[in-house]
Amino acid sequence: MKKVYNIYSILGITLSLFLCSSCTDLEFENEAFIVPIGVGDAEELLASSYGQLREFANERVIFGLSGHSSDEILGPTRGTDWFDGGVFQQMHLHTWTPDHNFIQTSFNDLNLGVFSATQAMEGDGATPQIIAEAKTVRAYYWFHILDFWGITLFREATQGIEVNPLVRTSAESVNFLIDDLESALNDLPDTSSPNRVNKNSARALLAKLYLNKGVYEADDRSTGSFTFNAADMNKVIEYANAITASNQYSLTSGVVGYYNTFAERNDEQSSELIFSVPKEQLTDFKRRWNYTLHYNQKPSGWNGFATLSDFYDSFDDDDIRKGGEYNSATNPYFNSTGTRAGFLIGQQFDENGTALTTRGGDPLAYTRDVDVAVNTEEKGIRVLKYIPDFSGGVDNADNPNNSYVLLRYGDVLLNKAEAIYRGGTDPNGQSATDVIDEIRIARGLTAGTLALNDDTLLAERGRELYWEGWRRNDLVRFGKFLDEWQEKPASGPERILFPIPTPALLANPDITQNPGY
């Protein structure tokens, strides 16, 4: 029987360094954590690799790196609330250090996902489909590691602590990931629940990889100037068309249709979900609305995160993605709470139309202005992307049936439109404007009203995908991530990548810290 090591080995003893920071005999103590275990059942190991995807739903950590470092979300300090050692301010202002908790935890969580998937490939009874699924799930973790840190790390499941993880450069990583994922395609099922990968999950991720390939192959991402080869853009279009041709997905329409993609039972009732984390794997998912809603709203929130007025102003007034009354037959959310879906601004009301107040009795009227450091309760436009689940009654919001969306059809079409815009050719004859209009019509807008250029295309991606964990990736690809925006000055070139956490550097001499840290 092959020998597989526990998770600490793949992290280059990163976790054991945390646990043994005061150890005098580091090598001896580390080896105590590297205990060989049996290979185990491949299906159970695969389930573990799927389970680690729950960390994408955490409102800090990976989502913090993706969203809080961008222009779509702000974690403002309110009195003594939400300072949390400055973690949110540092993310927004791009003043993080290698020891920032979000960075360290994300690095470990994502690499844990990589190793869990690798274990599944080596497990007892690993079929070609299990191996292909594990490769696809692993690629999802690796994509984010590559995007955040510009490298990937790899150690075979059978290798122990005596072998340093292989460090791949950014260019090596993207090409390896594409090859590895394409090798898995034939062994993946044609269809599955959104909670389990299939051919379309791999295609959607491959489209992402090809779209960003010019970024990942660049010598210096901070310049914001990238070469997008037509052949790569054609691959984006090819995979997007294959997803469309599978006839498994379609765009939703109307306020209810759009927000059903994020509501209770979304993996059943939405036609857009390609890959998601099921409710059974999510813990405390109510945080997705708690972190933005006020104490006096239903459900009661923590009065935290907000968006910036410049981002809010990028929406047309009749864009259903801007929000409205969510009032479906299965979840009459608006009727039972008074809270609207989408962006919340101005006076807030309860289900009877009574104006809500702050804890001090002032009107609860969310304002356009918000400060990164000093705010009262009502400051900042709030965002409700995931709809609280009151299908079992108002008191059932603590046990929601929402799945967390990882890949969906609207994003696939946006990737296709951008690939055409960047020089690709659609064999079906669509232009970039045709694809964008398809999306905008479904979102309540008129065709032909968006003149495409870099700024408008980036803005359209923001309108469609806000608070879904893709904004930083988009800003980097469009050369905007280092720009000045509300509550943030222009950033130094080193901020284009996150720093490698200190414990990982100490554990593996083959890793070099990213420039500027």
Side-chain angles (χ1 to χ4, degrees):
M1 177 181 287
K2 292 176 290 186
K3 197 164 60 174
V4 175
Y5 288 80
N6 71 12
I7 185 56
Y8 297 104
S9 66
I10 190 59
L11 298 184
I13 66 174
T14 297
L15 296 183
S16 57
L17 281 171
F18 284 128
L19 295 170
C20 294
S21 59
S22 61
C23 295
T24 56
D25 187 349
L26 187 59
E27 180 177 356
F28 175 80
E29 294 291 345
N30 282 333
E31 295 214 348
F33 288 98
I34 311 303
V35 181
I37 59 175
V39 170
D41 179 75
E43 186 66 50
E44 292 179 359
L45 293 168
L46 180 62
S48 178
S49 69
Y50 275 110
Q52 184 63 11
L53 291 166
R54 64 183 174 273
E55 299 305 330
F56 283 90
N58 188 323
E59 81 279 3
R60 300 173 179 237
V61 196
I62 301 168
F63 184 75
L65 269 59
S66 303
H68 281 277
S69 66
S70 79
D71 63 348
E72 71 173 1
I73 186 170
L74 179 69
T77 301
R78 304 180 187 280
T80 59
D81 293 339
W82 289 100
F83 177 64
D84 291 15
V87 291
F88 297 108
Q89 292 184 22
Q90 291 163 19
M91 271 292 125
H92 191 79
L93 296 172
H94 291 192
T95 58
W96 54 73
T97 68
D99 298 323
H100 193 289
N101 177 258
F102 293 3
I103 295 172
Q104 290 188 341
T105 306
S106 297
F107 189 85
N108 288 338
D109 286 346
L110 290 166
N111 278 291
L112 171 54
V114 168
F115 187 60
S116 298
T118 302
Q119 282 186 310
M121 294 166 61
E122 298 284 348
D124 293 335
T127 64
Q129 179 175 325
I130 286 177
I131 293 172
E133 286 189 54
K135 282 186 175 184
T136 306
V137 175
R138 184 173 68 175
Y140 195 84
Y141 294 117
W142 256 334
F143 176 94
H144 287 82
I145 296 170
L146 169 60
D147 196 66
F148 291 153
W149 290 283
I151 61 169
T152 56
L153 306 176
F154 176 66
R155 178 183 275 131
E156 296 286 356
T158 52
Q159 291 178 325
I161 190 62
E162 71 279 0
V163 180
N164 286 330
L166 172 66
V167 181
R168 292 191 176 100
T169 66
S170 184
E172 290 170 341
S173 296
V174 67
N175 285 289
F176 172 83
L177 272 174
I178 287 172
D179 290 344
D180 198 47
L181 198 49
E182 288 182 333
S183 73
L185 266 175
N186 287 338
D187 292 320
L188 289 168
D190 291 323
T191 62
S192 68
S193 153
N195 308 146
R196 193 146 184 166
V197 294
N198 57 34
K199 283 185 171 62
N200 287 321
S201 318
R203 289 164 178 155
L205 189 51
L206 280 164
K208 286 271 190 191
L209 285 163
Y210 276 109
L211 186 62
N212 288 279
K213 191 179 177 190
V215 177
Y216 299 151
E217 289 186 330
D219 292 332
D220 182 1
R221 298 185 196 179
S222 69
T223 66
S225 179
F226 308 112
T227 300
F228 298 96
N229 292 323
D232 294 334
M233 298 302 100
N234 287 339
K235 292 296 289 185
V236 177
I237 297 164
E238 174 190 330
Y239 285 123
N241 284 345
I243 293 170
T244 299
S246 73
N247 294 317
Q248 295 178 43
Y249 313 99
S250 61
L251 291 173
T252 56
S253 59
V255 172
V256 171
Y258 180 74
Y259 288 101
N260 273 351
T261 302
F262 310 96
E264 93 291 342
R265 297 186 304 102
N266 51 336
D267 51 359
E268 300 172 19
Q269 68 176 345
S270 175
S271 59
E272 289 205 30
L273 268 64
I274 296 175
F275 190 28
S276 63
V277 186
K279 62 182 184 298
E280 292 81 9
Q281 293 178 6
L282 298 171
T283 57
D284 206 16
F285 192 67
K286 62 181 180 178
R287 300 170 73 93
R288 277 281 151 178
W289 41 84
N290 287 155
Y291 62 47
T292 190
L293 294 179
H294 186 269
Y295 315 107
N296 291 337
Q297 290 183 285
K298 293 183 180 178
S300 178
W302 303 332
N303 204 42
F305 305 160
T307 197
L308 299 168
S309 59
D310 283 352
F311 188 81
Y312 173 79
D313 289 341
S314 71
F315 289 76
D316 293 334
D317 286 341
D318 52 355
D319 191 331
I320 61 100
R321 298 169 296 192
K322 197 171 186 177
E325 298 181 10
Y326 179 82
N327 187 16
S328 76
T330 58
N331 184 352
Y333 176 59
F334 181 82
N335 288 348
S336 61
T337 69
T339 307
R340 298 166 67 87
F343 292 87
L344 310 181
I345 186 171
Q347 179 64 54
Q348 302 299 297
F349 300 90
D350 68 11
E351 67 274 24
N352 299 314
T354 303
L356 296 175
T357 63
T358 66
R359 288 178 294 179
D362 296 323
L364 181 60
Y366 293 142
T367 66
R368 294 174 55 85
D369 61 306
V370 65
D371 186 275
V372 70
V374 181
N375 299 274
T376 49
E377 289 181 30
E378 77 286 357
K379 296 294 185 181
I381 302 166
R382 310 307 168 85
V383 175
L384 194 66
K385 191 75 180 270
Y386 280 86
I387 303 301
D389 179 11
F390 288 127
S391 56
V394 173
D395 294 332
N396 196 46
D398 285 351
N399 300 292
N401 292 295
N402 309 63
S403 291
Y404 186 72
V405 180
L406 299 175
L407 295 167
R408 67 179 179 89
Y409 189 55
D411 192 9
V412 168
L413 293 182
L414 283 168
N415 294 337
K416 175 181 174 178
E418 186 178 336
I420 298 171
Y421 172 79
R422 296 193 184 280
T425 302
D426 179 22
N428 295 336
Q430 281 193 305
S431 67
T433 298
D434 292 335
V435 183
I436 292 296
D437 280 347
E438 184 180 346
I439 298 168
R440 287 172 64 81
I441 290 170
R443 307 314 185 208
L445 300 167
T446 303
T449 56
L450 188 70
L452 287 188
N453 54 49
D454 280 14
D455 290 339
T456 58
L457 189 52
L458 175 62
E460 186 65 21
R461 290 193 63 88
R463 289 186 284 265
E464 178 67 21
L465 302 172
Y466 66 92
W467 289 42
E468 293 182 48
W470 295 113
R471 186 60 175 174
R472 177 191 172 277
N473 173 261
D474 290 341
L475 288 169
V476 171
R477 192 172 62 258
F478 281 84
K480 302 290 187 181
F481 184 67
L482 302 178
D483 288 0
E484 176 184 358
W485 57 67
Q486 278 179 286
E487 295 299 302
K488 183 189 87 73
S491 306
E494 74 280 1
R495 300 293 157 171
I496 202 69
L497 291 171
F498 291 110
I500 308 296
T502 302
L505 292 174
L506 295 174
N508 188 347
D510 295 334
I511 302 177
T512 302
Q513 181 59 280
N514 282 325
Y517 295 105

